[in-house]
Amino acid sequence: MAHQRNGLAVRRRAVGLTQEALAERMQVDRSTVARWESGRTTPQPWMRPRLARLLRVDADGLNDLLTVRQTGDVDVHGALDHALLHPERIDLVAVAALRAGFDDCAARYDRVPSVGLIAEAAAQLNRIGRLAAGAARGRVQRELHALHADACTLMGQLVWDASQRRDHLTAKRYYERGADLARYLRDPTLEAHALLRTCYVALYGARDVRAGLSLAEQAAVTAEPTSPGLSGLAFLHVAEAHAMLGSASDCERALSQAERRFDDAEDNDAAADLVSPTQFGRLAGSCCLSLGDYRRAEILLTSTAEELRGRRKSRAIVLGNLTLARIRQRDVEAAVDSLSEAITELETTRGGGGMNIVFGAARELRPWRQEPLVAEVQDRLFGLMTAA
């Protein structure tokens, strides 16, 4: 019979961490966390104090979580099947199974095409919504409403990405539903996340920079009481909006505010799974690009691209912006190198943000289209564009 550490996985989800987020904080691969939870391996002794802090347990509590049990001890799938037939009887075990399915889908977003996740995410969203509506009032229903808000936000993210950042209306509807649920729960972190996602549509899709700036500022203020990390992330987008508007001083001020909030964030931050150490370099590099400081942009984006290996959609965006910084310094050979790397990432993920930036960079390479290196990378782009 298979074994798994059910308690370890449930505790991770209870503190708001995905496998990927926990792996990043432990400085291990996501597959390592999966092996810990499945019972196939055990964390090294020197890792355990930090793991205990992240999971907010003491040493004895961690030992208990690491105790391998038979999968039959906690039949999460059976509990979920029963809940679907009797929504009014759903319990926390079934909610944990739903959350695990959602976490798995969300964790794959940055590595696979969104179009391949939409059907799965839609089915999860419908199931969660149905169970939330039928559950008895209390903690279980609140957990379901919170999961429903997260699922709405993820669905908006998937739809927008799969549409190559063109279907603004559908994405915004999902985000608005997520924000409404968050307000019903009086959960500032969930609300701020939905607002920030709506900001992305304004900034990078509709190109309504002032609307995006307003939404980013609103998200930063909303998140601050519960999540300095998410507030810091929102201030990074405030900075980028100011950079797009050409205001270097306002941009620098917002970047400083972001840094201060990141410094205040702790491991138990309510949105710890949404915040990554790479985000500052990624957004600061983009700000420098908008403000015309191409050399500084190149330095920031080069180091960030190295740190992002494994997060392919995010890395494609960074490499696309790095390509633009190099083109604008007329370093064509280096630009082709980073563009080629971006295409490699996009061949697997087809991320909407990366696709838009990469094709924009290709347009800026047209003056050198007769050069063999440029012609070769243009051929790869054509293949990317025509691939099914």
Side-chain angles (χ1 to χ4, degrees):
M1 183 180 292
H3 295 73
Q4 64 180 24
R5 295 188 177 99
N6 300 297
L8 185 61
V10 170
R11 184 61 189 171
R12 169 180 57 74
R13 290 190 288 271
V15 298
L17 292 174
T18 62
Q19 284 186 341
E20 186 176 52
L22 180 58
E24 184 171 318
R25 283 157 179 75
M26 290 297 299
Q27 298 183 328
V28 298
D29 291 335
R30 180 176 178 269
S31 60
T32 300
V33 174
R35 287 194 296 273
W36 292 345
E37 293 180 356
S38 69
R40 294 196 297 273
T41 61
T42 300
Q44 295 293 324
W46 59 268
M47 293 181 169
R48 294 189 181 198
R50 178 167 178 76
L51 181 58
R53 288 195 300 273
L54 291 171
L55 297 177
R56 299 177 222 165
V57 296
D58 58 19
D60 290 338
L62 181 62
N63 286 336
D64 184 59
L65 294 176
L66 294 174
T67 299
V68 176
R69 295 180 286 175
Q70 300 288 343
T71 54
D73 289 349
V74 179
D75 185 6
V76 291
H77 296 294
L80 182 54
D81 290 342
H82 184 265
L84 291 170
L85 294 173
H86 307 283
E88 73 284 357
R89 300 179 189 173
I90 187 170
D91 60 16
L92 289 171
V93 174
V95 175
L98 287 167
R99 173 63 74 173
F102 168 81
D103 286 347
D104 180 67
C105 185
R108 282 180 278 142
Y109 165 78
D110 214 18
R111 299 191 300 273
V112 302
S114 292
V115 69
L117 295 175
I118 284 179
E120 177 184 346
Q124 287 184 0
L125 179 61
N126 291 336
R127 186 183 303 121
I128 293 164
R130 189 167 78 249
L131 288 169
R137 295 178 66 181
R139 182 183 171 191
V140 170
Q141 189 185 60
R142 181 176 178 82
E143 293 290 337
L144 283 167
H145 281 317
L147 180 55
H148 193 191
D150 276 335
C152 286
T153 302
L154 176 63
M155 193 67 191
Q157 183 179 353
L158 291 170
V159 167
W160 195 47
D161 189 57
S163 71
Q164 303 300 309
R165 296 190 168 185
R166 294 187 182 93
D167 190 352
H168 310 328
L169 184 60
T170 303
K172 287 170 65 177
R173 283 174 178 165
Y174 280 117
Y175 296 150
E176 286 165 4
R177 177 58 177 151
D180 286 343
L181 284 164
R183 294 184 192 107
Y184 171 75
L185 293 169
R186 295 183 176 86
D187 189 320
T189 305
L190 285 174
E191 182 183 354
H193 186 207
L195 288 170
L196 192 55
R197 283 286 166 190
T198 311
C199 155
Y200 298 169
V201 174
L203 279 183
Y204 312 123
R207 295 289 173 178
D208 187 342
V209 178
R210 294 198 179 278
L213 173 59
S214 177
L215 285 161
E217 290 174 333
Q218 188 180 348
V221 172
T222 301
E224 189 159 7
T226 55
S227 176
L230 184 56
S231 182
L233 179 57
F235 268 114
L236 288 180
H237 292 280
V238 170
E240 185 162 30
H242 282 305
M244 290 176 174
L245 292 169
S247 177
S249 59
D250 287 336
C251 174
E252 289 294 340
R253 191 176 302 113
L255 288 174
S256 296
Q257 289 175 311
E259 282 190 296
R260 285 197 294 274
R261 280 154 182 80
F262 286 140
D263 287 341
D264 290 339
E266 299 178 352
D267 289 338
N268 62 353
D269 190 282
D273 57 321
L274 300 176
V275 181
S276 164
T278 60
Q279 286 162 335
F280 188 90
R282 174 181 166 183
L283 271 297
S286 182
C287 289
C288 292
L289 185 64
S290 293
L291 291 168
D293 189 348
Y294 304 132
R295 179 57 186 154
R296 187 180 173 202
E298 182 180 12
I299 292 169
L300 287 166
L301 295 168
T302 299
S303 60
T304 302
E306 285 301 310
E307 295 171 8
L308 275 172
R309 292 188 183 277
R311 299 190 62 184
R312 292 181 165 179
K313 287 182 183 176
S314 299
R315 189 165 188 266
I317 291 172
V318 170
L319 288 167
N321 280 331
L322 176 58
T323 301
L324 289 169
R326 288 170 168 174
I327 292 170
R328 293 169 190 177
Q329 295 177 87
R330 306 185 73 80
D331 189 347
V332 176
E333 185 173 347
V336 169
D337 285 344
S338 51
L339 184 57
S340 295
E341 281 194 78
I343 293 170
T344 298
E345 303 289 15
L346 291 169
E347 286 170 341
T348 302
T349 66
R350 303 191 66 80
M355 294 280 276
N356 290 343
I357 294 172
V358 159
F359 281 104
R363 286 192 292 273
E364 293 198 21
L365 275 174
R366 283 175 182 167
W368 298 276
R369 61 182 176 272
Q370 300 302 323
E371 295 190 17
L373 282 175
V374 175
E376 182 180 339
V377 81
Q378 294 280 7
D379 288 342
R380 287 191 67 194
L381 276 171
F382 182 75
L384 182 66
M385 182 176 62
T386 56

